PDB file of all heavy atoms in Angstrom:
ATOM      1  N   VAL F 632    -116.807  98.043-152.264  1.00 98.00           N
ATOM      2  CA  VAL F 632    -118.098  97.826-151.598  1.00 98.00           C
ATOM      3  C   VAL F 632    -118.770  99.169-151.346  1.00 98.00           C
ATOM      4  O   VAL F 632    -118.116 100.193-151.228  1.00 98.00           O
ATOM      5  CB  VAL F 632    -117.922  97.111-150.227  1.00 98.00           C
ATOM      6  CG1 VAL F 632    -117.360  95.716-150.394  1.00 98.00           C
ATOM      7  CG2 VAL F 632    -117.047  97.918-149.284  1.00 98.00           C
ATOM      8  N   GLY F 633    -120.083  99.130-151.257  1.00 98.00           N
ATOM      9  CA  GLY F 633    -120.839 100.305-150.822  1.00 98.00           C
ATOM     10  C   GLY F 633    -121.955  99.834-149.917  1.00 98.00           C
ATOM     11  O   GLY F 633    -122.677  98.899-150.264  1.00 98.00           O
ATOM     12  N   MET F 634    -122.065 100.443-148.747  1.00 98.00           N
ATOM     13  CA  MET F 634    -123.096 100.027-147.792  1.00 98.00           C
ATOM     14  C   MET F 634    -124.128 101.132-147.621  1.00 98.00           C
ATOM     15  O   MET F 634    -123.815 102.312-147.797  1.00 98.00           O
ATOM     16  CB  MET F 634    -122.483  99.713-146.411  1.00 98.00           C
ATOM     17  CG  MET F 634    -121.681  98.436-146.349  1.00 98.00           C
ATOM     18  SD  MET F 634    -120.059  98.573-147.111  1.00 98.00           S
ATOM     19  CE  MET F 634    -119.136  99.436-145.858  1.00 98.00           C
ATOM     20  N   TYR F 635    -125.342 100.739-147.228  1.00 98.00           N
ATOM     21  CA  TYR F 635    -126.375 101.731-146.918  1.00 98.00           C
ATOM     22  C   TYR F 635    -127.364 101.072-145.968  1.00 98.00           C
ATOM     23  O   TYR F 635    -127.998 100.075-146.315  1.00 98.00           O
ATOM     24  CB  TYR F 635    -127.076 102.197-148.198  1.00 98.00           C
ATOM     25  CG  TYR F 635    -127.825 103.490-148.025  1.00 98.00           C
ATOM     26  CD1 TYR F 635    -127.133 104.699-147.881  1.00 98.00           C
ATOM     27  CD2 TYR F 635    -129.215 103.526-147.997  1.00 98.00           C
ATOM     28  CE1 TYR F 635    -127.816 105.898-147.726  1.00 98.00           C
ATOM     29  CE2 TYR F 635    -129.898 104.722-147.845  1.00 98.00           C
ATOM     30  CZ  TYR F 635    -129.191 105.908-147.705  1.00 98.00           C
ATOM     31  OH  TYR F 635    -129.865 107.089-147.546  1.00 98.00           O
ATOM     32  N   SER F 636    -127.467 101.609-144.758  1.00 97.00           N
ATOM     33  CA  SER F 636    -128.288 100.969-143.724  1.00 97.00           C
ATOM     34  C   SER F 636    -128.987 102.013-142.868  1.00 97.00           C
ATOM     35  O   SER F 636    -128.423 103.074-142.615  1.00 97.00           O
ATOM     36  CB  SER F 636    -127.415 100.108-142.799  1.00 97.00           C
ATOM     37  OG  SER F 636    -126.527  99.308-143.540  1.00 97.00           O
ATOM     38  N   TYR F 637    -130.171 101.720-142.439  1.00 95.00           N
ATOM     39  CA  TYR F 637    -130.875 102.564-141.470  1.00 95.00           C
ATOM     40  C   TYR F 637    -132.026 101.757-140.866  1.00 95.00           C
ATOM     41  O   TYR F 637    -132.436 100.737-141.403  1.00 95.00           O
ATOM     42  CB  TYR F 637    -131.409 103.852-142.104  1.00 95.00           C
ATOM     43  CG  TYR F 637    -132.270 103.669-143.354  1.00 95.00           C
ATOM     44  CD1 TYR F 637    -133.654 103.555-143.259  1.00 95.00           C
ATOM     45  CD2 TYR F 637    -131.697 103.629-144.626  1.00 95.00           C
ATOM     46  CE1 TYR F 637    -134.448 103.399-144.402  1.00 95.00           C
ATOM     47  CE2 TYR F 637    -132.478 103.478-145.763  1.00 95.00           C
ATOM     48  CZ  TYR F 637    -133.850 103.370-145.653  1.00 95.00           C
ATOM     49  OH  TYR F 637    -134.620 103.210-146.781  1.00 95.00           O
ATOM     50  N   GLU F 638    -132.528 102.257-139.742  1.00 94.00           N
ATOM     51  CA  GLU F 638    -133.607 101.517-139.076  1.00 94.00           C
ATOM     52  C   GLU F 638    -134.931 101.807-139.764  1.00 94.00           C
ATOM     53  O   GLU F 638    -135.293 102.952-140.004  1.00 94.00           O
ATOM     54  CB  GLU F 638    -133.688 101.936-137.591  1.00 94.00           C
ATOM     55  CG  GLU F 638    -134.496 100.970-136.718  1.00 94.00           C
ATOM     56  CD  GLU F 638    -136.000 101.105-136.824  1.00 94.00           C
ATOM     57  OE1 GLU F 638    -136.501 102.231-136.974  1.00 94.00           O
ATOM     58  OE2 GLU F 638    -136.713 100.081-136.761  1.00 94.00           O
ATOM     59  N   THR F 639    -135.637 100.740-140.099  1.00 92.00           N
ATOM     60  CA  THR F 639    -136.988 100.890-140.621  1.00 92.00           C
ATOM     61  C   THR F 639    -137.748  99.594-140.347  1.00 92.00           C
ATOM     62  O   THR F 639    -137.141  98.549-140.143  1.00 92.00           O
ATOM     63  CB  THR F 639    -136.995 101.217-142.129  1.00 92.00           C
ATOM     64  OG1 THR F 639    -138.328 101.516-142.529  1.00 92.00           O
ATOM     65  CG2 THR F 639    -136.493 100.053-142.964  1.00 92.00           C
ATOM     66  N   MET F 640    -139.056  99.662-140.321  1.00 89.00           N
ATOM     67  CA  MET F 640    -139.847  98.469-139.988  1.00 89.00           C
ATOM     68  C   MET F 640    -140.583  98.006-141.240  1.00 89.00           C
ATOM     69  O   MET F 640    -141.791  98.128-141.345  1.00 89.00           O
ATOM     70  CB  MET F 640    -140.820  98.835-138.850  1.00 89.00           C
ATOM     71  CG  MET F 640    -141.590  97.671-138.281  1.00 89.00           C
ATOM     72  SD  MET F 640    -140.543  96.517-137.358  1.00 89.00           S
ATOM     73  CE  MET F 640    -141.812  95.354-136.815  1.00 89.00           C
ATOM     74  N   ASP F 641    -139.817  97.514-142.208  1.00 88.00           N
ATOM     75  CA  ASP F 641    -140.492  97.045-143.423  1.00 88.00           C
ATOM     76  C   ASP F 641    -140.915  95.596-143.307  1.00 88.00           C
ATOM     77  O   ASP F 641    -141.943  95.196-143.844  1.00 88.00           O
ATOM     78  CB  ASP F 641    -139.651  97.286-144.687  1.00 88.00           C
ATOM     79  CG  ASP F 641    -138.263  96.674-144.615  1.00 88.00           C
ATOM     80  OD1 ASP F 641    -137.778  96.394-143.504  1.00 88.00           O
ATOM     81  OD2 ASP F 641    -137.650  96.474-145.677  1.00 88.00           O
ATOM     82  N   SER F 642    -140.125  94.794-142.608  1.00 90.00           N
ATOM     83  CA  SER F 642    -140.610  93.454-142.285  1.00 90.00           C
ATOM     84  C   SER F 642    -139.809  92.917-141.112  1.00 90.00           C
ATOM     85  O   SER F 642    -138.677  93.348-140.857  1.00 90.00           O
ATOM     86  CB  SER F 642    -140.553  92.514-143.489  1.00 90.00           C
ATOM     87  OG  SER F 642    -139.308  91.893-143.576  1.00 90.00           O
ATOM     88  N   ALA F 643    -140.405  92.005-140.383  1.00 92.00           N
ATOM     89  CA  ALA F 643    -139.759  91.470-139.183  1.00 92.00           C
ATOM     90  C   ALA F 643    -140.435  90.147-138.809  1.00 92.00           C
ATOM     91  O   ALA F 643    -141.473  89.795-139.369  1.00 92.00           O
ATOM     92  CB  ALA F 643    -139.882  92.464-138.030  1.00 92.00           C
ATOM     93  N   ARG F 644    -139.782  89.413-137.903  1.00 92.00           N
ATOM     94  CA  ARG F 644    -140.344  88.149-137.408  1.00 92.00           C
ATOM     95  C   ARG F 644    -140.397  88.263-135.880  1.00 92.00           C
ATOM     96  O   ARG F 644    -139.469  87.845-135.189  1.00 92.00           O
ATOM     97  CB  ARG F 644    -139.479  86.973-137.880  1.00 92.00           C
ATOM     98  CG  ARG F 644    -139.987  85.622-137.430  1.00 92.00           C
ATOM     99  CD  ARG F 644    -139.237  84.477-138.118  1.00 92.00           C
ATOM    100  NE  ARG F 644    -139.639  84.320-139.507  1.00 92.00           N
ATOM    101  CZ  ARG F 644    -139.134  83.414-140.343  1.00 92.00           C
ATOM    102  NH1 ARG F 644    -138.199  82.587-139.923  1.00 92.00           N
ATOM    103  NH2 ARG F 644    -139.559  83.318-141.590  1.00 92.00           N
ATOM    104  N   PRO F 645    -141.462  88.844-135.336  1.00 92.00           N
ATOM    105  CA  PRO F 645    -141.522  89.098-133.897  1.00 92.00           C
ATOM    106  C   PRO F 645    -141.682  87.833-133.066  1.00 92.00           C
ATOM    107  O   PRO F 645    -141.437  87.859-131.854  1.00 92.00           O
ATOM    108  CB  PRO F 645    -142.760  89.981-133.724  1.00 92.00           C
ATOM    109  CG  PRO F 645    -143.286  90.246-135.087  1.00 92.00           C
ATOM    110  CD  PRO F 645    -142.660  89.292-136.044  1.00 92.00           C
TER     111      PRO F 645
END
Side-chain angles (χ1 to χ4, degrees):
Chain F
V632 296
M634 288 76 78
Y635 198 72
S636 314
Y637 53 92
E638 196 281 324
T639 187
M640 187 69 178
D641 55 340
S642 88
R644 181 170 286 179

